Amino acid sequence: MTTPFPFTAVVGQDDLRLALLLNAVSPAVGGVLVRGEKGTAKSTAVRALSALLPEVPVVPGCRFSCDPASPDPGCPDGPHEAGGGAERPARMVELPVGASEDRLVGALDIERALSEGVKAFEPGLLADAHRGILYVDEVNLLHDHLVDLLLDAAAMGASYVEREGVSVRHAARFLLVGTMNPEEGELRPQLLDRFGLTVEVAASREPDQRVEVVRRRLAYDDDPAGFAARWAEEEAAVRARIVAARELLPSVRLGDGALRQIAATCAAFEVDGMRADIVMARTATALAAWAGRTDVLAEDVRQAALLALPHRRRRNPFDAPGLDEDKLDETLEEFGGSDDDDPDPDPGPDGPGGGGGGQPEPDDAPQGGDDTAARPEAGEDGQPQPSGAGEQSPARASEPFRTKVLSVPGIGEGAAGRRSRARTEHGRTTGARRPRGALTKLHLAATVQAAAPHQRARGRSGPGLVVRRDDLRQATREGREGNLVLFVVDASGSMAARQRMSAVKGAVLSLLLDAYQRRDKVGLVTFRGTDADVALPPTSSVDAAAARLETLPTGGRTPLAAGLLRAHDVLRVERLRDPARRPLVVLVTDGRATGGPEPVALAGRAARLFAADGVASVVVDCESGPVRLGLAGQLAGELGGTAVTLDELRADSIAGLVKDVQRRAA
């Protein structure tokens, strides 16, 4: 067995270690979400935690880790008699991103259940993680249906497997720990809220600390057992402190003054629901127990807020996580009156600290002014351009709005999502087929229909149906898939008018928010001047796309053909990486093409490449003014797609409820 890296040997990352230890003291805190860049010891610290947890008493032979003091009456391996038992180390179970539903919740043998009436159940990872740690690396990349199962199990403390009237239930209470790199996409708000605490981690910029990290890692790689032995004393001390804090926890008093501070803090930061208040209360209590105190102090409430609130404040994926610590301190001071009946608190040993300095507030986005560049140039729409190389400073996006659904025609087989029709493992049943490999979704009516004609030949004598392997039918289902939404944005001088570019950015921001909600990958190509740039390669991080959009400058000519050719190249490369994910091109332009020889004809030839490849596309027509040339509509015809105006893009537009992207017949 591989020797884990010692928890106490992790350099720095104080908030991460504290959050994990608080959950070890009080599993009711609700788990930890660790956000940060790659290579910051996220997984190392989580894997090292399990070695510090006290051993777990279990019923011998029970596959579901029942507690011998109070065994689960509904355990599939039960019933168990109370008393007796054995102890084993606490488990840390890893859930792979690509795990199947059966691997997570367990598999029920449908064939034996139908033919023999036997509940032959093989436990999954939720059963293995009961009374231990369930660790999900790259939790933001987990499939939606697995996330739903995790949410249900975490909320109910039990896992249910139900297949065609046959059901199995077992306890599943675990400490949920997830790690993620925000650059690869954000989590759904429902799953974010399930994590009790969140921690932002980053590599230290201090040379001495980085040197120590490398020194310890090299020493561990050379001799894992010897390195762990050198830290055994520190590990034992932390393990003993966890046990002592667990024993002290029931005696910790959470006074009315601390409760008022918790409630006032949650209200001041406008978090949704009441889970934040409960998590903060449990975290503050665990902090006091960890510090060896029986009273919760204001410093515990402050630290609890820094760990429990940042991920609950986000209203959309473009909001930066974090808390305004000045506002936090003002709120705690305002509601920091002591309880009338509280004894003077014992200062006790110092707590673990207040979580470090606050993060600087982001600068306001540049305002649309009359910043100039070096060369005066007349705008393509007749508006005067500022002096300079035809470039203006970025305009701020207008307020996002709810957009119409833009979907790809046909039926795909891509990753599960919420945009276009697709054949999926989850959705409405549309038919049946013979299973290829293991049966996962039984089509009961088709199975009975296949078995019925053979009952006499099989010697059926009782009420049960004689079912054989050849009779089983797999249900075929239709759901929704996520697509690759590639935004191709015109940033030329003809789009540079402040009001128009602000509206364009607001529209793209709205489409990005829609892509986030529908589990799409997104990419961003911009064109202006003489060339086109891939501002963001295809990614699941829509907030990264929003950040690129915010700083997008405008000005210069309109190399429309270059933008289309660059987008076509991006799709070609992405098709090799992820052939099942279908693309949707969203071209945001007024349709004008300038610069170079025959720009209009060249743009038309580039557009026809998309039509020849059958790529679904939509042109968001940004043309404005009393006289309109209709160039965007002509371009949509060349692409084989459709055109919508900025006004028609809104979901509440009277132009219609839903506008599907349709390829025109050749």
Side-chain angles (χ1 to χ4, degrees):
M1 181 177 178
T2 304
T3 303
F5 192 90
F7 186 86
T8 51
V10 175
V11 179
Q13 308 298 8
D14 294 338
D15 285 347
L16 169 58
R17 292 190 294 169
L18 175 61
L20 292 171
L21 289 170
L22 292 177
N23 276 273
V25 171
S26 175
V29 166
V32 186
L33 174 64
V34 187
R35 298 164 47 94
E37 57 197 29
K38 51 188 174 293
T40 50
K42 300 188 299 293
S43 301
T44 299
V46 174
R47 293 189 175 102
L49 177 66
S50 61
L52 297 178
L53 298 180
E55 291 192 333
V56 178
V58 296
V59 174
C62 178
R63 298 174 297 168
F64 302 88
S65 302
C66 281
D67 187 348
S70 56
D72 181 8
C75 176
D77 284 355
H80 304 299
E81 294 184 3
E87 290 192 343
R88 62 161 176 79
R91 291 175 180 162
M92 194 202 72
V93 177
E94 294 194 41
L95 173 61
V97 170
S100 66
E101 179 181 339
D102 286 346
R103 185 71 188 98
L104 177 63
V105 301
L108 189 66
D109 191 330
I110 300 296
E111 185 175 359
R112 290 189 64 192
L114 286 175
S115 59
E116 304 175 25
V118 176
K119 293 183 182 179
F121 181 71
E122 184 65 29
L125 295 178
L126 289 180
D128 292 341
H130 179 47
R131 304 176 67 203
I133 302 173
L134 180 62
Y135 172 47
V136 188
D137 194 13
E138 306 293 352
V139 63
N140 51 325
L141 304 182
L142 198 63
H143 287 299
D144 272 4
H145 69 284
L146 296 183
V147 171
D148 292 335
L149 292 170
L150 275 179
L151 291 178
D152 290 342
M156 297 184 294
S159 175
Y160 293 84
V161 181
E162 300 191 12
R163 301 279 175 85
E164 309 298 338
V166 180
S167 64
V168 174
R169 173 216 165 270
H170 64 83
R173 292 183 295 276
F174 47 83
L175 169 58
L176 181 60
V177 180
T179 56
M180 61 175 283
N181 184 345
E183 294 178 355
E184 298 174 339
E186 285 293 344
L187 277 175
R188 291 167 54 184
Q190 296 94 326
L191 185 56
L192 268 177
D193 193 47
R194 292 294 183 186
F195 286 98
L197 310 179
T198 186
V199 177
E200 296 279 342
V201 297
S204 172
R205 299 298 182 256
E206 290 292 332
D208 290 343
Q209 194 172 80
R210 296 175 74 96
V211 166
E212 186 61 23
V213 170
V214 175
R215 181 181 291 118
R216 293 186 187 183
R217 186 68 210 190
L218 293 178
Y220 170 77
D221 291 341
D222 289 341
D223 183 10
F227 183 82
R230 291 197 294 273
W231 290 88
E233 186 175 345
E234 288 83 350
E235 293 280 285
V238 173
R239 190 178 298 109
R241 189 174 175 185
I242 291 174
V243 173
R246 283 188 173 186
E247 295 175 351
L248 182 62
L249 187 65
S251 303
V252 175
R253 181 174 179 274
L254 183 65
D256 289 343
L259 281 173
R260 280 195 298 270
Q261 286 184 316
I262 290 171
T265 301
C266 293
F269 286 101
E270 298 180 349
V271 296
D272 295 332
M274 294 297 298
R275 184 174 281 117
D277 303 64
I278 297 171
V279 170
M280 273 191 66
R282 290 171 174 166
T283 305
T285 303
L287 281 162
W290 178 248
R293 290 185 268 101
T294 57
D295 286 291
V296 173
L297 305 182
E299 66 190 58
D300 300 323
V301 176
R302 186 182 192 278
Q303 182 66 63
L306 292 172
L307 294 173
L309 296 188
H311 60 300
R312 293 185 165 89
R313 291 189 59 247
R314 305 190 76 186
R315 293 294 185 269
N316 64 63
F318 312 136
D319 292 339
L323 290 182
D324 182 343
E325 295 196 33
D326 290 336
K327 181 178 179 181
L328 173 60
D329 291 336
E330 291 173 4
T331 304
L332 293 176
E333 183 177 355
E334 180 182 354
F335 292 88
S338 60
D339 302 327
D340 294 337
D341 56 346
D342 279 356
D344 292 333
D346 179 7
D350 291 336
Q359 298 178 356
E361 290 292 316
D363 294 332
D364 290 338
Q367 299 293 326
D370 294 328
D371 297 339
T372 59
R375 181 168 55 92
E377 180 178 308
E380 298 175 21
D381 55 357
Q383 299 294 327
Q385 290 281 71
S387 62
E391 180 173 322
Q392 297 187 23
S393 60
R396 171 172 287 184
S398 62
E399 191 69 22
F401 53 85
R402 190 167 63 90
T403 67
K404 288 179 178 156
V405 180
L406 304 175
S407 61
V408 178
I411 301 179
E413 295 182 343
R418 296 185 177 183
R419 184 171 296 278
S420 305
R421 295 173 58 197
R423 286 180 284 270
T424 63
E425 288 295 319
H426 301 270
R428 64 184 182 90
T429 301
T430 58
R433 60 172 174 80
R434 292 181 182 273
R436 305 184 188 102
L439 179 71
T440 55
K441 299 291 182 182
L442 177 73
H443 194 296
L444 183 58
T447 299
V448 172
Q449 187 176 10
H454 308 290
Q455 296 306 294
R456 181 175 296 178
R458 293 173 182 172
R460 172 185 170 185
S461 58
L465 192 67
V466 181
V467 179
R468 295 182 179 172
R469 173 69 185 175
D470 291 342
D471 302 327
L472 299 178
R473 295 295 182 268
Q474 175 85 21
T476 57
R477 303 194 174 197
E478 182 179 306
R480 294 280 171 176
E481 67 176 0
N483 299 112
L484 167 59
V485 182
L486 182 62
F487 294 94
V488 186
V489 180
D490 183 350
S492 64
S494 64
M495 302 284 288
R498 287 289 163 197
Q499 188 174 4
R500 187 195 301 187
M501 200 60 202
S502 177
V504 167
K505 285 189 175 183
V508 177
L509 202 62
S510 304
L511 290 166
L512 282 171
L513 183 59
D514 182 69
Y516 164 76
Q517 295 168 341
R518 299 187 187 281
R519 316 291 181 261
D520 295 317
K521 291 180 70 174
V522 297
L524 179 62
V525 173
T526 65
F527 57 95
R528 56 181 290 274
T530 61
D531 202 2
D533 295 315
V534 181
L536 183 72
T539 176
S540 297
S541 179
V542 296
D543 52 344
R548 302 290 197 281
L549 182 71
E550 187 68 24
T551 58
L552 177 66
T554 58
R557 295 187 177 276
T558 311
L560 179 57
L564 291 172
L565 291 173
R566 184 61 59 89
H568 188 269
D569 189 56
V570 169
L571 293 184
R572 178 184 59 80
V573 173
E574 193 64 20
R575 193 176 294 117
L576 297 175
R577 295 174 177 169
D578 191 358
R581 189 180 290 267
R582 298 187 294 162
L584 169 63
V585 173
V586 179
L587 176 60
V588 185
T589 182
D590 57 9
R592 303 186 185 206
T594 61
E598 300 183 346
V600 176
L602 187 59
R605 288 197 294 272
R608 287 191 287 275
L609 292 175
F610 291 86
D613 290 344
V615 176
S617 60
V618 60
V619 178
V620 180
D621 185 359
C622 303
E623 192 174 26
S624 62
V627 179
R628 304 194 180 191
L629 303 178
L631 298 176
Q634 298 175 24
L635 181 61
E638 299 279 4
L639 286 165
T642 189
V644 296
T645 66
L646 287 174
D647 290 337
E648 291 172 342
L649 192 61
R650 294 179 178 271
D652 54 0
S653 169
I654 61 174
L657 297 178
V658 176
K659 180 179 283 293
D660 288 338
V661 180
Q662 297 178 348
R663 294 191 298 267
R664 295 187 180 182

